[in-house]
């Protein structure tokens, strides 16, 4: 399999050509052989796999680059970010293949370009879990340790490299990088590259129309994506514009987490002190990120800013208006209700408020709705609110056969990931393999993995997650 390249057809101000760092002793931690087989990738041994997944040997056709981009981080614009610890090797079957934690580039901004083992494992498990849950996402091919230590808030940790694949690593921040520099030629090239790679259904001959259609398409995908996050209780943690995918997939798993007890304001990220990216704020932030993309495309739509702003508003108003409906639809499916109306929306809101008021487990409360309907109240607090919900829910004639298909029983819970990471830092990868195998079937969990479905005990609860940089 020879890697191909389309991004390097763009001018070199879009990226830096740079090779991964040299590491002393790469060792394979976990390898996604099913994904490799689907891609047509074969390796002769674990040693060769570790060499390739750490960047010590390059796949045929590799031309490593670090992509340039900017970003609005917690609302504050940073004009240059870029791949400070990642190397894009090329494309395979239309997917970017990238090393993360593979060394410094000119975008490192004083960082070490490395990744600890813990965040690499977290991204491997959570991204693969998201794939199994049916959420658009980057994928993880494998994790290797590098044979060196890296230093973070808790002291020295084993270094690691994650190999991931994505529809692309184009971001809203990529557009912001060139808009800040008033490089309209680069913006036009980037717009056409994005359309050609991800939105080939857009066939407008005029640049302004292509930009408007691209805005609409990206906004729609972002809305659909975040609605899926809500439905599985996922909190991205760092929804900056540099982590907002132009392809509409989940990328850059840093301080991400899945909720145990349900709360609209739930935050795990250690750096999100104000709750900007809390669970309940994610759709609002998605719209904000799209507005920053619109800012970038404004000069390509019209020389008159007021005309451009008016056209953008016309293009996005109905898409933004649909965001709330997409969330309600996702929850309606979780309740086995195929249609949406005001009564169903009120029912959804009241049930979520009931879960929040009693700090009930989000995943188990939905996964056990079928049993609740039959009178099993094990996972619920029995009171008048529950009785009222049941009465109104049954009046809507829910399709109980769809409950299990819409509600996973298993998510990658924070306390289980922390246990995996603790063991892995000591060289024990057995728990990692077991949890990964369990997460492959979240809607129909085999009996031998049922112990992973339980919530954490009080002493196991995780209250903060970290990004690894």
């Amino acid at each position: 399999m020879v890697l191909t390249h389309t991004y390097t057809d763009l001018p070199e101000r879009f990226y830096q050509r740079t090779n991964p760092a040299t590491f002393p002793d790469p060792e394979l931690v976990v390898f996604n052989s099913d994904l490799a087989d689907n891609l047509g990738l074969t390796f002769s041994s674990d040693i060769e796999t570790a060499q390739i997944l750490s960047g010590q040997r390059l796949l045929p056709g590799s031309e490593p680059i670090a992509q340039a981009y900017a970003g609005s981080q917690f609302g504050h614009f940073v004009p240059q970010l870029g791949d400070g610890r990642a190397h894009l090797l090329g494309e395979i079957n239309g997917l970017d293949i990238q090393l993360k934690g593979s060394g410094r580039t000119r975008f490192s901004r004083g960082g070490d370009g490395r990744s600890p083992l813990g965040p690499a494992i977290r991204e491997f498990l959570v991204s693969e879990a998201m794939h199994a849950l049916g959420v658009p996402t980057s994928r993880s091919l494998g994790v290797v340790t590098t044979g060196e230590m890296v230093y973070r808030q808790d002291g020295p940790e084993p270094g690691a490299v994650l190999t991931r694949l994505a529809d692309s690593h184009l971001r809203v921040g990529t557009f912001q990088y060139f808009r800040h520099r008033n490089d309209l030629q680069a913006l036009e090239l980037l717009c056409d590259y994005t359309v050609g790679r991800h939105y080939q259904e857009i066939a407008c001959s005029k640049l302004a129309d292509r930009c408007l259609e691209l805005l609409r398409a990206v906004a729609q995908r972002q809305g659909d994506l975040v609605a899926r996050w809500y439905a599985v209780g996922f909190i991205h943690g760092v929804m900056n514009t540099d982590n907002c995918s132009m392809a509409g997939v989940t990328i850059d798993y840093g301080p991400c987490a899945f909720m145990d007890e349900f709360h609209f304001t739930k935050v795990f990220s250690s750096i999100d002190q104000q709750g900007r990216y809390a669970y309940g704020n994610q759709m609002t932030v998605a719209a904000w990120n799209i507005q920053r993309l619109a800012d970038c495309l404004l000069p390509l739509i019209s020389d008159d800013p007021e005309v451009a702003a008016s056209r953008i508003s016309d293009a996005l108003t109905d898409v933004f208006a649909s965001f709330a409906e997409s969330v309600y639809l996702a929850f309606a499916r979780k309740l086995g209700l195929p249609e949406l109306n005001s009564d169903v929306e009120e029912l959804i809101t009241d049930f979520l408020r009931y879960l929040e008021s009693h700090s009930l487990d989000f995943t188990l409360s939905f996964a056990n709705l079928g049993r609740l309907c039959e009178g099993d109240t094990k996972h619920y607090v029995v009171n008048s609110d529950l009785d009222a919900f049941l009465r109104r829910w049954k009046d809507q004639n829910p399709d109980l056969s769809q409950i299990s298909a819409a509600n996973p029983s298993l998510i990658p819970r924070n306390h289980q990931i922390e246990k995996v990471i603790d063991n892995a830092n000591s060289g024990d990868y057995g728990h990692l393999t077991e949890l990964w195998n369990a997460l492959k079937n979240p809607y129909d969990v085999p009996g031998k993995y049922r112990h992973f479905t339980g919530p954490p005990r009080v002493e196991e609860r995780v209250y903060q997650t970290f990004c690894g940089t």
Side-chain angles (χ1 to χ4, degrees), residues 202-214:
I202 297 175
C204 307
S205 59
K206 294 182 179 179
L207 174 61
D209 293 338
R210 289 199 302 279
C211 290
L212 290 166
E213 287 303 309
L214 177 61

Side-chain angles (χ1 to χ4, degrees), residues 72 75-76 241 276 283-293:
S72 297
H76 302 287
T241 56
R276 176 181 173 88
M283 194 62 88
T284 300
V285 173
W288 192 90
N289 288 344
I290 296 301
Q291 289 168 333
R292 302 293 72 75
L293 177 62

